[in-house]
Amino acid sequence: MGITKLADLIRSDAPNAVSYKDIGDYTGNGGLNLLFHVGDVGFLLHSPLTGLFFRTLTFLEHDIKPVFVFDGKPPVEKTPVLERRAEAAGWSSPKRTGEGPHDSAFQAPGDAEAQCARLVRDGVVDAVASEDMDTLPFGANVLIRQLNAKKDRYVETLVDLCILLGCDYCDKIPGLGPKRALTLIQKHRTIENVVLHINRQTHPVPLLWKYKEARKIFLDKTETPVTNLVWRELDEEAVVDFLCHTKHVREERIRHRMKTFHEHRENRREERKKEKAEGHMRQTRMDNFFRVTRKRGQVRRKLLHMKKNKKKTKQFNLKIML
DNA sequence: ACTCTGACTCAAGACGTT
DNA sequence: TTGAGTCAGAGT
DNA sequence: AACGTCC
């Protein structure tokens, strides 16, 4: 679990920091947007895999190029869990829990989350959507965008706040919840200072508190192992082969989706050509996106976070927090 | 009065047809 | 299973 | 919008 309370805090104390955008608003800007996903290898072993296929095409149709990172952990012991989840989703549990395409999947060394953050930070990708793609991405998939250069200070502040809110890497100060944490951090900036100003009776600092280690994990600036991602076009035959022949998905379904995908793409191509012919680059929706984002004047954090959010049916929303 | 916590509940994917 | 949302009760 | 199917 990530820092769940952060979502609450943002909702209550910085509602303006969130704006909702349709996924379509990213389309048509030259198709250069990258979006980023974290997944579990286990998902490739089971039925939701089909969903992954469909969703990926939806991304592509919006000029979003997804990058998938899978946790390197062996899914073996997790299998029962995944099966149960699959059942909960209304599917019969798959019989073949064999081997997924590990070799074709990119596995992140160490913590995938951290890896993702690094890729964003280094500008390799634009944004991160974390957690399964199956369940709704949420709190943990809030990942950071545009924390370059001078803004690092704010990142540090945010990190300290998150540690106070409670993260996976160290204890928190009991009795110190979101409200007080925010207030204290705003006032004192760092955990060290906060600690000096709290009532140690009512809010005892954990013994051997390893918040510095946690901080280090968050702020870790070391290597970005995967620097050069290579974009490969969709290989229809390979997909069909894997999904249909190996996983026994009905081929017609896949082909059909693939067909609409190509049609969609063709339409867009012509549209773009037509626009170009007209000569005038009219305001793209992307411009609007930035304008909206920037116009938040007094925001508490000069960070840009992105959050992917899914709505009932097929519409995707993006939350952008400044 | 405000804040924190824990215990509880609830839902949960994508497509196509009707 | 997970995570989100709500509520009651204890704590400040 | 609701529902059944997907495997």
Side-chain angles (χ1 to χ4, degrees):
Chain A
M1 77 182 184
I3 302 161
T4 59
K5 286 168 187 163
L6 183 58
D8 295 342
L9 197 57
I10 289 168
R11 207 179 321 133
S12 60
D13 287 70
N16 289 340
V18 184
S19 73
Y20 297 82
K21 279 286 170 184
D22 191 275
I23 190 179
D25 293 345
Y26 291 87
T27 313
N29 195 47
L32 297 176
N33 302 305
L34 296 177
L35 213 132
F36 196 84
H37 270 243
V38 191
D40 192 315
V41 192
F43 274 105
L44 289 186
L45 306 177
H46 301 285
S47 305
L49 164 72
T50 318
L52 179 60
F53 163 73
F54 284 112
R55 239 186 280 183
T56 299
L57 288 198
T58 305
F59 280 136
L60 292 176
E61 285 178 347
H62 289 92
D63 295 339
I64 293 171
K65 296 176 182 171
V67 177
F68 299 100
V69 171
F70 302 95
D71 297 330
K73 319 204 164 112
V76 185
E77 63 278 288
K78 246 184 161 181
T79 298
V81 177
L82 294 165
E83 285 187 7
R84 219 176 307 124
R85 202 187 289 175
E87 280 175 9
W91 291 43
S92 61
S93 139
K95 44 269 150 213
R96 283 188 62 199
T97 53
E99 51 299 323
H102 292 267
D103 33 318
S104 66
F106 152 49
Q107 298 188 9
D111 192 345
E113 295 283 348
Q115 177 68 17
C116 295
R118 264 181 250 127
L119 289 175
V120 176
R121 187 196 64 213
D122 295 353
V124 180
V125 299
D126 289 329
V128 178
S130 154
E131 281 297 7
D132 324 325
M133 29 269 308
D134 203 33
T135 56
L136 318 178
F138 211 81
N141 62 358
V142 179
L143 246 289
I144 316 91
R145 193 199 166 198
Q146 276 201 358
L147 13 128
N148 343 352
K150 41 190 143 184
K151 306 204 166 152
D152 281 353
R153 284 201 76 106
Y154 293 99
V155 181
E156 289 169 15
T157 309
L158 178 67
V159 166
D160 275 13
L161 173 61
C162 290
I163 291 173
L164 290 179
L165 294 176
C167 67
D168 295 340
Y169 304 115
C170 70
D171 295 327
K172 69 186 291 300
I173 298 177
L176 221 171
K179 297 291 188 185
R180 284 172 198 148
L182 177 58
T183 309
L184 288 166
I185 275 295
Q186 283 176 325
K187 193 170 299 175
H188 303 115
R189 313 295 315 289
T190 68
I191 289 180
E192 283 83 354
N193 289 337
V194 167
V195 165
L196 293 178
H197 291 85
I198 55 173
N199 183 343
R200 283 173 172 263
Q201 310 301 317
T202 60
H203 299 122
V205 175
L207 235 43
L208 302 177
W209 196 21
K210 46 187 178 88
Y211 70 91
K212 284 189 180 174
E213 284 79 352
R215 209 187 248 163
K216 200 165 289 177
I217 293 173
F218 283 123
L219 297 174
D220 180 24
K221 292 246 189 298
T222 57
E223 27 93 53
T224 308
V226 189
T227 39
N228 32 0
L229 300 170
V230 180
W231 179 251
R232 256 180 78 235
E233 278 302 323
L234 191 56
D235 184 341
E236 174 162 344
E237 293 313 314
V239 171
V240 167
D241 187 56
F242 176 64
L243 284 181
C244 305
H245 302 154
T246 306
K247 293 294 177 178
H248 307 108
V249 180
R250 196 161 50 92
E251 179 164 345
E252 183 272 330
R253 249 184 118 207
I254 302 300
R255 294 282 187 197
H256 177 263
R257 184 62 179 86
M258 208 72 91
K259 192 172 143 235
T260 60
F261 169 68
H262 284 128
E263 287 169 2
H264 180 96
R265 176 170 275 195
E266 191 53 37
N267 289 341
R268 291 200 47 75
R269 194 169 298 157
E270 288 182 13
E271 261 180 40
R272 215 168 288 167
K273 200 182 285 179
K274 199 181 293 176
E275 266 188 28
K276 214 169 192 175
E278 287 174 12
H280 67 57
M281 304 253 284
R282 58 158 217 268
Q283 281 275 19
T284 65
R285 282 166 290 196
M286 198 60 182
D287 290 335
N288 288 332
F289 156 60
F290 279 122
R291 205 187 314 125
V292 169
T293 308
R294 293 254 167 83
K295 114 178 140 195
R296 319 262 172 240
Q298 327 286 14
V299 229
R300 61 188 70 263
R301 295 207 176 282
K302 277 98 181 248
L303 293 174
L304 180 62
H305 295 220
M306 296 196 69
K307 178 172 197 170
K308 178 183 158 296
N309 183 9
K310 195 158 52 70
K311 274 185 97 180
K312 304 285 184 189
T313 27
K314 59 165 101 171
Q315 248 350 359
F316 298 83
N317 277 0
L318 289 171
K319 287 184 178 179
I320 297 89
M321 322 193 259
L322 217 223

